[in-house]
Structures are given as structure tokens and as C-alpha cells.
Amino acid sequence: MHPPPRRLLLPLFLCLLPAVAWALLPPPRFPGPHARRAGVRDGVGGYEFDTRYFRQRLDHFSFSGGEESFQQRYLVGRAGGWAGPGGPIFFYCGNEGDIAWFAANSGLVWEAAPRFAALVVFAEHRYYGESMPFGSKEKAYNNSRSLAYLTAEQAIADYAVLLTDLKRNLSSESSPVVLFGGSYGGMLAAWMRLKYPHIAVGALASSAPILQFEDIVPQTIFYDIVSNDFKRESLSCFQTIKDSWKELDEQGNGQDGLLKLSKTFHLCQTLKTTGGLSDWLNSAYGFLAMVDYPMSSDFLMPLPSNPIKEVCRNIDKQLDGTSTLERIYAGVNIYYNYTGTVDCFDLDDDPHGMGGWQWQACTEMVMPMSSSESLSMFPPYEFDYASYADDCVKSFGVRPSPRWITTEFGGHNISAVLEKFGSNIIFFNGLLDPWSGGGVLKNISGSVVAIVAPLGSVPLVQTDAVF
């Protein structure tokens, strides 16, 4: 098993817990260019919204190539009752997936809005969901030239332009904007507050690993936290997973080994190498740590309450004589097939449309990750930038810029920097969430504060803490 860069990085996402919907009220009207399809209404997760599109400039930072544009999707919530011109706007900074998926799983934003008479807006990140430059995903993802505009800087600029135009069309230039986001979206919310303080008065950044770059935090922190989450449930489960990687490689290298592995794990296609299966298992363990809620959920997959406990229970309860890999399959089946409706597994499936993250990880979002021999249930692995960069060249024809994010947004000596230049940012982290290892876990100033849930996978926000 090889951790990133084969899969490069687990995608980052928000996991704010769903909440009970408030009474639904008529939405505000959006005049002018925002209403490409007037009256389009939709809803997910019990929350209702209008779907709108905004003509967004492809490149905000040059004047050399004309005025290419694309249609950016955004959702306008119909719950809460906006105060009207001058009233607050709660703006969710979309991350690496379909925006409706995040809207369905961000209960905090929906529940807080009525208390503040705020307008709710969920903006989709360029190159994800329906917000595809060049007219289609195939054209947008065609090569490094078409993907060149997929950056955090361009995405934040999209949000700034959208908000500015939105407020103008609502005759609400004085409306205070509070940014929301989680994981990558939380990073964008925090960074946008720093880069565009005249547009947003504050940000709530949940599970935002803004320190997961270069050598700011230990490179082993992500996999150490995942491992500890499993160890706290069952030491034998932890050890079975730790032992499984060697057995997987040995069986894969044996006669008909790949065919046997494909059958054991009920794969739709026969494996060509063990790497794809290793990545599939690696992803399951990481995602389980992110959504190890004490109640059932379906943010990533339909899952029971305390899913890591259930995975370990399935691994540990197998009869004597059950092989290690059969135990592993019984465990991960909780994550990938809790409903029991899946006949076989496609290792290349991308149900949430997060494929663009591989490009971002190969350009500016370089988060070095290693796994330790002693603390991790994953094979020991030392991050090697040279091989990482070579993989990116093979995949996309580009070499990463590993220091660009800290140059653009900061990260080193974060306490002194945010104390001097930052304000009105709340960082939320649950310490069972592996992304918390790269998060801000201590108060920095009176208005840059950290709220930590020691036994939380994803923090549940108290809305009266918002500005």
C-alpha cells in the first residue's frame, strides 16, 4: 500500500451535522443576470432552495485572453425569512463536490439563519458539480491548459465577485456577510476573510486544515489520528488492519492472487495491481474517521451510529479460522455497503464528483503525509516530494508548487500573523477528525477563536457564538 501520492490526497469536505429544518418561507427575488432560470426550485436533506446561475469570469487575474466565462451555480435558501436589504447574508463557500450535496449536510447554516434573519447562499466551487468551465466536464478536465483555472485563488475571487454582484442586485450593499465552510471549504472561508475583509465581516471555518502544509505540523498527524480512532474502539481491530497490508501484498503477488483478492472483496472488475484496492481501503478508514458520528448519517455513505465501532465489531466477531482479509472485507462492508444493496464494488467510482481534487493536490494543495511504524495502523511511509512531483508530471504534465499556499495565504507562525492581521474567525475542530491535526486548536485573539470537541469527528456549532 502506498499512501498519497497514488491517490494524492483524500478529498477534504465539510461534515456539519444535519439539523431540523425551520419553517419554509418565500424566497427573496433575484433580478437581472442572476435568474438565468427563474423559478427553479429544489430541495435536498429537508432544506429547500432556489437554484440560480451567475455568469462568472474564467480568469480574474489577467487581461490577456478576452472575456471567457462560465455559469456558476449557487443555491438560495428559502428557510428563515431574510430581513431584507441590509440584512445579514450567510454564505457557504463550496468545496470539492456538488454544492447540493453540501447544502443537504450543513444543518448549522440552515438553523442559524432564522435566528439572525439571514439570507442563505450556497455557492458552488468552479470545476465541480454543474459549474464547469468550457461547457462540460470533459472539456474542463481535458488537459493542464483547461484545468489551469482550478485554483483556490480563482474560487475565492468567484465568491467575492458573486457576493458583490448579488448585494448590488438586492440593493443591499450594506449587508454583513458571514462565511461558512468546512475542511477545504473552511480553508476557503478563513482565507477569504483574510483576503477580502471588505466583503465579509467574519468566517466560521470548520475542520479547516490551514496548517497542513510544508512542515508546519507533523507529516504523520493525519494517519496517526485515524489510527487512534480505531485503536480507541478495539486494539485487536487496530492490529488486524495493521497486519492486513502485508497479507494483501503477499496474496496479490501469489498465483491468481489478484483474482482471489477481487473475489474476496466483491469487486466488479479483476484487479490489475494491489494499489487500487489498498487505496480503496485507505479511503474507507479515513472517511470513517471523518464521520464517526454518535448517530446514523448518510453524508458520505449511509452509515450507522458510531460506524468505527461497527466496523471493528464486524472485524473482531468473525469466526476462528477467518482470514485477515476476509475480516477486513467484513469491516469495510459497513462503510461501502451498510444498506446491503451493492452487488459489487467499482474502485474508480466517484459518486460525489470530487475528481478535480487530484489536480489541486498536484498544483498548489500539497499536503505532505507520512505514516509512522509505531503509532499508525497503516504501512510505514515517508513522504517523498520528488516521487510525488514525478507522479503529478505523469498524471497532468505539471509540477506542484509546494510553498505557494503558505506564500499566498500564510501558515507559518500562524498565531502571531492572525493576532496581528486577522479578526472575526471561528475555527471549529473535532479531535477525532483527522483533519483537525492541521487545524487551529487554540484561541489566537479575542475575535480569532478556536472551539474544540475532544470526542467529535466533526464539530457541532453553537449558533449564538456567531458574531
Side-chain angles (χ1 to χ4, degrees):
M1 199 285 286
H2 297 279
R6 180 181 287 150
R7 187 172 286 270
L8 296 177
L9 271 181
L10 290 173
L12 297 155
F13 13 59
L14 171 69
C15 308
L16 290 176
L17 298 181
V20 178
W22 288 68
L24 302 177
L25 298 175
R29 293 184 178 274
F30 284 77
H34 286 273
R36 192 187 76 174
R37 294 190 295 167
V40 177
R41 296 188 175 187
D42 207 343
V44 289
Y47 311 118
E48 295 192 14
F49 49 78
D50 285 3
T51 301
R52 305 287 176 176
Y53 295 84
F54 177 69
R55 185 179 177 183
Q56 191 66 258
R57 183 169 177 156
L58 179 63
D59 185 2
H60 296 287
F61 304 113
S62 74
F63 297 89
S64 60
E67 295 279 336
E68 287 187 279
S69 63
F70 68 96
Q71 294 291 338
Q72 180 182 18
R73 180 171 59 151
Y74 65 103
L75 315 177
V76 181
R78 290 194 277 124
W82 183 43
I89 297 173
F90 284 3
F91 187 88
Y92 181 88
C93 299
N95 30 330
E96 71 284 30
D98 189 297
I99 192 60
W101 176 42
F102 292 103
N105 291 277
S106 301
L108 164 70
V109 181
W110 297 100
E111 284 210 352
R115 296 182 59 181
F116 295 89
L119 177 69
V120 173
V121 179
F122 281 80
E124 190 162 68
H125 194 298
R126 56 170 55 202
Y127 287 82
Y128 294 102
E130 295 181 14
S131 301
M132 288 294 166
F134 309 109
S136 70
K137 184 174 182 178
E138 290 71 25
K139 291 181 179 178
Y141 283 41
N142 185 48
N143 54 42
S144 60
R145 288 178 179 268
S146 59
L147 281 165
Y149 307 99
L150 174 50
T151 67
E153 296 86 348
Q154 296 280 9
I156 292 173
D158 286 343
Y159 301 152
V161 170
L162 172 60
L163 272 166
T164 301
D165 198 80
L166 177 64
K167 291 167 71 174
R168 184 183 304 116
N169 276 280
L170 290 171
S171 299
S172 191
E173 287 87 348
S174 62
S175 284
V177 175
V178 178
L179 306 169
F180 292 80
S183 292
Y184 174 49
M187 298 162 78
L188 295 179
W191 290 339
M192 185 171 173
R193 167 62 187 156
L194 295 173
K195 288 291 184 180
Y196 297 95
H198 58 292
I199 289 179
V201 300
L204 195 158
S206 173
S207 299
I210 62 170
L211 307 180
Q212 195 86 43
F213 299 93
E214 298 182 49
D215 58 355
I216 300 174
V217 297
Q219 293 184 359
T220 62
I221 191 70
F222 182 94
Y223 287 116
D224 285 350
I225 293 175
V226 175
S227 300
N228 286 335
D229 289 352
F230 281 81
K231 183 183 288 185
R232 68 186 290 272
E233 293 294 350
S234 167
L235 183 58
S236 61
C237 172
F238 168 91
Q239 193 62 47
T240 298
I241 295 171
K242 188 176 181 71
D243 294 340
S244 69
W245 307 108
K246 181 179 179 181
E247 185 165 327
L248 189 156
D249 284 339
E250 288 178 350
Q251 183 166 324
N253 290 327
Q255 185 174 4
D256 296 326
L258 294 175
L259 178 59
K260 292 176 183 177
L261 286 173
S262 302
K263 290 181 178 180
T264 297
F265 287 91
H266 296 245
L267 306 183
C268 299
Q269 294 90 26
T270 301
L271 290 168
K272 295 181 180 179
T273 69
T274 59
L277 179 57
S278 295
D279 288 343
W280 187 72
L281 296 172
N282 183 313
S283 294
Y285 302 139
F287 291 147
L288 282 161
M290 295 179 208
V291 295
D292 192 24
Y293 300 137
M295 72 282 290
S296 59
S297 68
D298 61 358
F299 176 55
L300 297 177
M301 298 283 191
L303 292 172
S305 59
N306 302 302
I308 289 181
K309 183 186 293 291
E310 294 303 316
V311 168
C312 284
R313 181 178 295 162
N314 259 24
I315 288 175
D316 290 341
K317 76 178 184 179
Q318 300 303 307
L319 298 175
D320 290 345
T322 304
S323 73
T324 298
L325 295 182
E326 288 171 331
R327 291 177 184 272
I328 293 298
Y329 170 73
V332 297
N333 204 46
I334 292 289
Y335 177 76
Y336 284 115
N337 191 23
Y338 179 62
T339 61
T341 58
V342 179
D343 295 325
C344 66
F345 301 102
D346 180 0
L347 301 189
D348 295 323
D349 187 29
D350 180 20
H352 303 301
M354 299 184 290
W357 185 254
Q358 305 301 327
W359 164 265
Q360 293 188 257
C362 264
T363 50
E364 58 182 7
M365 301 298 292
V366 180
M367 298 181 176
M369 290 187 178
S370 301
S371 55
S372 62
E373 174 98 38
S374 57
L375 298 178
S376 178
M377 68 185 191
F378 299 91
Y381 171 80
E382 193 71 30
F383 178 79
D384 178 55
Y385 174 73
S387 62
Y388 184 99
D390 288 344
D391 280 357
C392 290
V393 171
K394 292 176 184 176
S395 297
F396 297 106
V398 298
R399 286 197 173 274
S401 296
R403 295 182 177 85
W404 174 245
I405 285 293
T406 57
T407 301
E408 174 74 2
F409 299 115
H412 296 284
N413 199 18
I414 192 69
S415 295
V417 172
L418 287 182
E419 184 175 13
K420 188 173 183 179
F421 299 106
S423 65
N424 286 0
I425 304 175
I426 297 175
F427 291 100
F428 272 69
N429 282 281
L431 298 187
L432 299 183
D433 174 13
W435 292 120
S436 68
V440 176
L441 303 179
K442 295 181 179 180
N443 291 348
I444 291 175
S445 69
S447 67
V448 180
V449 300
I451 302 176
V452 174
L455 296 180
S457 283
V458 176
L460 180 60
V461 179
Q462 296 296 321
T463 55
D464 57 1
V466 179
F467 314 102

